[in-house]
Amino acid sequence: MKTAHTLLLLGFAAITFACNNSKETTSTETNTEMTTTETATTNLPYNKNSKYNWEFNPDQKNEAIVLNVFKAMEQLDHQTIGKYTADSIVSNIDGVKFKGTREQIMQLNKDFFATLKTLKVVPTDWRSVVNKDKSEEWVSVWFTQHWEDQKGQRDSVNVFNDIKLKDGKITAWNEYLQHFPKP
């Protein structure tokens, strides 16, 4: 009887391995990222909108612009940020929507920076993407932001930014915050 059970289990295992969905994976490593292409028979509940078909942007120009803006933020330097901002900008910062001119956003930055004593940005990852027809370029950045206000109060948040650039200028800035729980 034990032999029959053993044979039955071995047969089941052989069928399972023989019916295993095959996955073909190809990996190529570039300077800072790993790109993986998978071909599988998984049925997904949604179809992609192939209009965009995003891909990693191998040109690091946009990443450099965004990271220079972050460095200017740390130095509370709204003038340098203005150099990288388009004539008009749209933003959604933690649910607060803004649509206006470079001068308006620079004034908001100046007013905000005046409330701070220090600001520290600690990026953990960033990716630059471009869509198939090269009409949109975005840089996504994950980071922790620490600050001390003029009253000596310190705080920090985890942040995700999605920043749209056109011709080397920021045209849209979306920011989402994850507040740490109060002790």
Side-chain angles (χ1 to χ4, degrees):
M1 187 71 173
K2 286 186 179 186
T3 305
H5 281 104
T6 303
L7 288 174
L8 183 61
L9 285 174
L10 287 174
F12 179 72
I15 291 171
T16 302
F17 287 117
C19 293
N20 189 11
N21 288 339
S22 64
K23 234 187 218 188
E24 186 180 309
T25 302
T26 309
S27 297
T28 56
E29 195 160 341
T30 59
N31 56 358
T32 59
E33 61 204 310
M34 176 75 94
T35 305
T36 303
T37 307
E38 287 190 2
T39 306
T41 58
T42 305
N43 292 324
L44 300 174
Y46 297 98
N47 294 320
K48 286 184 182 180
N49 178 348
S50 60
K51 171 185 171 187
Y52 291 102
N53 197 16
W54 298 101
E55 58 191 26
F56 288 120
N57 189 351
D59 184 353
Q60 292 182 315
K61 172 188 65 168
N62 289 337
E63 292 173 350
I65 290 168
V66 169
L67 295 176
N68 282 325
V69 166
F70 281 36
K71 192 53 80 173
M73 286 170 46
E74 284 187 318
Q75 297 164 356
L76 307 177
D77 178 4
H78 69 280
Q79 293 293 336
T80 298
I81 295 169
K83 292 178 186 177
Y84 296 109
T85 304
D87 291 338
S88 63
I89 186 167
V90 176
S91 70
N92 180 7
I93 308 287
D94 200 28
V96 177
K97 296 183 185 308
F98 170 85
K99 182 177 183 180
T101 66
R102 175 185 16 228
E103 290 73 24
Q104 290 171 318
I105 197 76
M106 285 189 50
Q107 186 61 51
L108 290 174
N109 283 337
K110 184 178 178 182
D111 294 345
F112 173 65
F113 290 164
T115 67
L116 299 176
K117 192 183 291 183
T118 62
L119 179 66
K120 179 75 176 157
V121 175
V122 183
T124 54
D125 200 1
W126 54 86
R127 292 288 183 258
S128 180
V129 295
V130 61
N131 67 339
K132 178 173 47 181
D133 67 4
K134 310 296 186 228
S135 63
E136 288 190 38
E137 298 180 48
W138 292 79
V139 175
S140 300
V141 184
W142 294 261
F143 61 98
T144 303
Q145 182 172 297
H146 308 268
W147 67 90
E148 182 180 359
D149 67 17
Q150 292 294 344
K151 298 175 185 176
Q153 292 289 99
R154 295 174 186 229
D155 208 345
S156 59
V157 291
N158 280 329
V159 185
F160 170 73
N161 279 184
D162 218 7
I163 301 168
K164 183 178 182 181
L165 295 103
K166 183 157 182 82
D167 300 324
K169 301 286 186 177
I170 295 170
T171 61
W173 188 305
N174 298 309
E175 182 169 277
Y176 307 95
L177 305 177
Q178 177 192 12
H179 298 273
F180 295 108
K182 298 288 180 197

